[in-house]
Amino acid sequence: MKKMMTLLLSVCILMTFTACGSTKATTSSQSAQSGVATEKPASESTATKVNGNSKILVAYFSCTGNTKALAENAADVLKADLYEIVPEKKYTREDLNYNDESTRATVEQKDNSARPAITGKVSSFEQYDTIVIAYPIWWGQAPRIINTFLESYDFSGKKIIPICTSASSDVGSSADALHTLCSASANWVDGKRFSQSTSKQELEQWFSSHQAQSGK
């Protein structure tokens, strides 16, 4: 009798777990079919809606944090949305060793065709009519991941304002090289290098003087 009771209890427990598993599977299946993501991947990167329906986007790539700080201040001054260009494979300190010819960043910068993959995308990209692109200067040019970003969207008719950070190098020919990757109808504004200590007031003055610029 005791063995019979134990057997019946085991069967009841098994049926309960089976029912729960079935319900969970059904719920997951329904979520997938409806196109609703139950959890946003940690690696996904989309534009941060800082100012609702802003027509200005500040897109930036930053490894050390200097360009990130500049981009955040620019977005604040312009009341723009903010988007971080995130590489699928993050750059390590070793990757950025300027004194080693075999490091990842050095090899990429020497290869005009290098296009490091980006994680995520800008949602509703078409809503923006002005794109500020912020990047560091690597060996006199923008990192190749900026090329990837520019070739991933249609910039036709949009105003593009390049700004950069570096220890000493100016914006130089980096913006001109990037310009060739976009539609001929893109309106490029002359770019500028900013130091890490650039204030919001200085940024505001510079952007105010360039907002009406016709571009190249």
Side-chain angles (χ1 to χ4, degrees):
M1 182 68 177
K2 186 175 182 180
K3 289 184 178 180
M4 180 65 70
M5 290 295 292
T6 301
L7 180 60
L8 288 173
L9 180 61
S10 299
V11 171
C12 289
I13 293 173
L14 180 60
M15 291 177 66
T16 300
F17 277 110
T18 301
C20 289
S22 177
T23 301
K24 184 175 181 181
T26 301
T27 302
S28 298
S29 176
Q30 289 174 345
S31 295
Q33 291 174 4
S34 66
V36 177
T38 56
E39 183 176 332
K40 184 177 180 180
S43 61
E44 185 178 350
S45 176
T46 57
T48 301
K49 299 294 183 179
V50 178
N51 293 284
N53 296 318
S54 176
K55 297 296 184 182
I56 304 174
L57 176 71
V58 176
Y60 74 93
F61 170 67
S62 180
C63 284
T64 64
N66 292 340
T67 306
K68 178 181 180 180
L70 177 69
E72 288 176 339
N73 285 338
D76 189 35
V77 165
L78 296 170
K79 301 188 185 312
D81 289 339
L82 190 64
Y83 172 76
E84 181 180 7
I85 301 171
V86 179
E88 281 190 0
K89 180 183 178 183
K90 298 291 183 65
Y91 289 85
T92 65
R93 186 183 299 275
E94 290 72 22
D95 289 336
L96 303 176
N97 184 353
Y98 301 151
N99 299 315
D100 187 342
E101 293 292 315
S102 66
T103 59
R104 175 187 173 190
T106 304
V107 171
E108 287 178 356
Q109 290 304 101
K110 288 185 175 181
D111 182 3
N112 290 333
S113 65
R115 296 294 185 272
I118 294 174
T119 293
K121 62 181 181 179
V122 178
S123 58
S124 303
F125 182 78
E126 64 280 357
Q127 83 175 50
Y128 302 105
D129 53 29
T130 299
I131 314 292
V132 177
I133 301 178
Y135 56 88
I137 292 290
W138 288 1
W139 294 270
Q141 295 296 321
R144 299 301 180 192
I145 196 168
I146 301 298
N147 296 30
T148 307
F149 176 75
L150 290 175
E151 292 177 345
S152 299
Y153 302 91
D154 182 6
F155 289 83
S156 299
K158 297 184 184 296
K159 177 182 286 187
I160 305 176
I161 307 175
I163 57 176
C164 67
T165 59
S166 82
S168 58
S169 301
D170 201 351
V171 66
S173 63
S174 65
D176 292 329
L178 296 176
H179 189 180
T180 63
L181 303 175
C182 291
S183 165
S185 68
N187 178 12
W188 278 77
V189 172
D190 290 330
K192 182 177 174 60
R193 167 194 171 269
F194 292 95
S195 68
Q196 184 179 359
S197 61
T198 300
S199 67
K200 286 186 180 181
Q201 183 179 12
E202 291 175 295
L203 276 174
E204 186 170 17
Q205 291 174 346
W206 186 80
F207 278 116
S208 294
S209 67
H210 280 65
Q211 285 293 73
Q213 202 183 92
S214 61
K216 299 178 182 179

